[in-house]
Amino acid sequence: MSHGEENGSGSSTSSRGFGRRSFLGTATAVGVGAAAGVLVGRDSLPPGELAARQATLRLTGDSCTLTPPPGFPSGISLYQQGYQNWSTETVVDDVWTCAPSNAADVVAVANWAVGAGYRIRPRGFMHNWAPFTVSNTQTCASPVVLVDTTTCMVSMEMISGPPLAVKVGPGATMEAILGFLEGNNAGLASVPAVGQITIGGAMAIDGHGAAVPADGETPLTGQAFGSISNLVLSLDAVVWNSATSAFEVQTFTRSDPRTKALLTHLGRTFVTSMTLQASANQNLRCQSYTSISAATLFASPGSAGSQSFASFVGRAGRVEAILYPFTSNPWLKVWSVCPNKPLLSRHTTTPYNYVFSDIIPQSVAVIVNQIISGHPEAAPSLGAAEYAATVAGLTAFLDYDLWGAAKNTQLYIQASTLRLAEGGGVVLCKRADIQRVVSEFYAKYSSLMTSYQQQGKYPMNGPIEIRVSGLDHGSAVQASGAEPPAISALLERTDHPEWDSAVWTNMLTIPGTPYAYDFYTEMGNWARANYASYGAVRVEWSKGWAHTTAGPWNDNTALTQTIPNDFRVARTSTQNWDWALGVYDALDPHRIFTSPLHDTLTP
Ligand SMILES: Cc1cc2nc3c(=O)[nH]c(=O)nc-3n(C[C@H](O)[C@H](O)[C@H](O)COP(=O)(O)OP(=O)(O)OC[C@H]3O[C@@H](n4cnc5c(N)ncnc54)[C@H](O)[C@@H]3O)c2cc1C
């Protein structure tokens, strides 16, 4: 068994060539028509064989029909279903899956699992990169049952307050929740860009947006700029009662010290309901720019002018820069609070306005297929095609200047976009250091891209994405005794109260691209060393991290020391990483809510 398999990544992709699993996944990602020419690569199967297998197998592995888990509670819908995460890097065929109607069903399943020796995995839309649900080392024969919350546990109810809030089931989507809030003249200040994810999934991994207040902006009552997790006023979770020796639903409020371990929990518990703090809704204007060069936007602080990344953050607070590989001008989005429609803005009443990024243009798909079929050197062409498609799309759809109710520009990416592997991290820093963080990141990324290119290597063929959010502070929560989520990447650093900003950097590439793991490893190690003198680096739980040249979630030192240490600094023994792990074990002593990755990361 490889190191990666032990830790749950179980990747079948080498760092030198495209592997079978990534091949299949990416072929699926660019569509059947496009996939037809995609199926042969250096490490691939012979022509035709892959397509034949795709046609006969449900996903990529061997199909497997087993007798149902013995004694499973009757009356709860149970079936075998393939698990495939969004990037297609984690695939397990025919996993036993159930769809509970309510929290009582989840309790029944949990109590059954203890006696039966099964693990239970809460499941939303399977969009997470990090394998916190299942791993490639598991099969349909593994004693695990997925619990799909997306079908029945989707209720939504406004709580008029104060504080203004919404109570939701864990399977409700972010899109549904934001739409429901909008219908009640309410909203959230900072949310993930994607709407087809569950609130349960977003909360588990401290989902975040791209927003901080602009210079001089006074946030509305209820607005917070950290993670989704820190918006939770109270939650219901399925936890072990040692007095009755059984699982039951308990309610956790923010004044209960244990709650801070359950806000961001990486799937180490099962949340059946949560109440989120909200604010009055706002109108936002979202302007796109494609003519500012990366050199200007990411200039070093000494030479940064009014077109620098940090100056946009100062003026508007809400910024995202996307830079396609080997291109010179990023796609910059800048949102500003704007009560009334500016004359030249297009009024949008629906989210997902960037059709060109949700439906892959043919010009892009053709080059993706070239790369997958063994030509990673086509990466510069891919970047150029993506930039051209972006400029054309923004122009054709009148998308350069949008205005409307917040959610219609806050949600701007759909699951149908090109499926890519993603490495992610965040740097906590002073607001005055945002430009330094992004300029150093851009300089390092560019020089590494050049040095790999000079060796004939093209590990990164997707864009980089840079955003800024606030941190998680208890003071932002309208509940007495609130402490910030104990293991959120946005957890405040009380020893550095001046670190008030979080710069998120993501690097994307087609799953299985040769040398990608080498590149991620170098960038990850560089970031830890580079930012240590004026900030703190943490991993983005939902993405790829702890890379070695063998893959993500694979660096044993990172998994067992470096990352836990991130949540030990300036934390007491009743707040830190080890304490949080103790809470999970106390509430789930049989460790039924675990995946192989938890076994290493949260032993
Ligand atoms: C295209 C795309 C864009 C994205 N953009 C952003 C972004 O802008 N910002 C951001 O922060 N993230 C973003 N993400 C990441 C996304 O927020 C996470 O992957 C999220 O976890 C996905 O939710 P899901 O419903 O698919 O959860 P799943 O992938 O099904 O589950 C994720 C984890 O949550 C656990 N879980 C799910 N439900 C529960 C529950 N009820 N109780 C306990 N644990 C539970 C699962 O066990 C698993 O460990 C993006 C993802 C994609 C694919």
Side-chain angles (χ1 to χ4, degrees), residues 501-516:
S501 304
V503 182
W504 299 88
T505 55
N506 289 132
M507 296 169 286
L508 292 81
T509 198
I510 294 170
T513 300
Y515 304 103

Side-chain angles (χ1 to χ4, degrees), residues 13 76 82 122 134 154 182 186 217 230 242 260 266 273 281 288 296 302-303 322 406 435 439 482 495 571:
T13 303
I76 301 172
V134 288
V154 295
E182 184 183 296
E217 177 182 339
N230 200 36
S242 54
K260 63 180 176 291
L266 313 180
S273 168
N281 205 8
S288 283
T296 300
S303 57
I322 292 179
Q435 189 65 22
S439 68
D495 55 334
R571 302 292 283 167

Side-chain angles (χ1 to χ4, degrees), residues 127-386:
H127 283 350
N128 216 47
W129 283 263
F132 285 124
T133 308
V134 288
S135 85
N136 287 329
T137 57
Q138 294 174 295
T139 70
C140 59
S142 300
V144 59
V145 173
L146 304 187
V147 179
D148 179 358
T149 63
T150 63
T151 50
C152 300
M153 303 182 77
V154 295
S155 61
M156 296 184 285
E157 176 193 353
M158 281 310 287
I159 311 287
S160 53
L164 181 64
V166 60
K167 183 174 183 181
V168 295
T173 64
M174 286 303 302
E175 182 180 343
I177 293 168
L178 291 173
F180 182 69
L181 285 170
E182 184 183 296
N184 288 278
N185 301 315
L188 306 177
S190 185
V191 297
V194 61
Q196 276 300 311
I197 56 173
T198 62
I199 185 67
M203 180 188 150
I205 50 78
D206 63 40
H208 69 92
V212 291
D215 289 344
E217 177 182 339
T218 305
L220 301 178
T221 302
Q223 282 191 324
F225 294 83
S227 72
I228 291 291
S229 305
N230 200 36
L231 295 177
V232 173
L233 296 172
S234 69
L235 62 91
D236 288 353
V238 174
V239 300
W240 185 254
N241 181 335
S242 54
T244 59
S245 291
F247 278 102
E248 64 183 24
V249 175
Q250 282 181 21
T251 299
F252 293 82
T253 64
R254 291 297 288 260
S255 58
D256 183 335
R258 296 173 302 172
T259 306
K260 63 180 176 291
L262 300 179
L263 298 168
T264 299
H265 54 73
L266 313 180
R268 195 52 196 86
T269 189
F270 201 122
V271 176
T272 55
S273 168
M274 65 208 81
T275 300
L276 303 171
Q277 159 179 322
S279 70
N281 205 8
Q282 286 183 313
N283 290 329
L284 295 176
R285 179 185 194 185
C286 182
Q287 293 171 275
S288 283
Y289 301 85
T290 52
S291 56
I292 302 170
S293 73
T296 300
L297 194 68
F298 303 132
S300 62
S303 57
S306 62
Q307 303 278 72
S308 70
F309 186 87
S311 65
F312 281 105
V313 173
R315 286 195 293 275
R318 298 143 177 90
V319 179
E320 178 187 75
I322 292 179
L323 180 67
Y324 300 112
F326 304 99
T327 62
S328 51
N329 290 2
W331 173 17
L332 176 70
K333 287 195 284 300
V334 181
W335 294 258
S336 44
V337 177
C338 193
N340 302 310
K341 187 180 108 53
L343 187 62
L344 297 178
S345 299
R346 177 166 75 78
H347 183 189
T348 177
T349 55
T350 54
Y352 315 121
N353 289 284
Y354 307 118
V355 177
F356 54 89
S357 71
D358 289 331
I359 300 172
I360 308 308
Q362 185 67 10
S363 58
V364 172
V366 165
I367 306 172
V368 169
N369 287 336
Q370 280 174 17
I371 292 176
I372 295 167
S373 57
H375 293 284
E377 71 280 5
S381 306
L382 179 59
E386 289 180 305

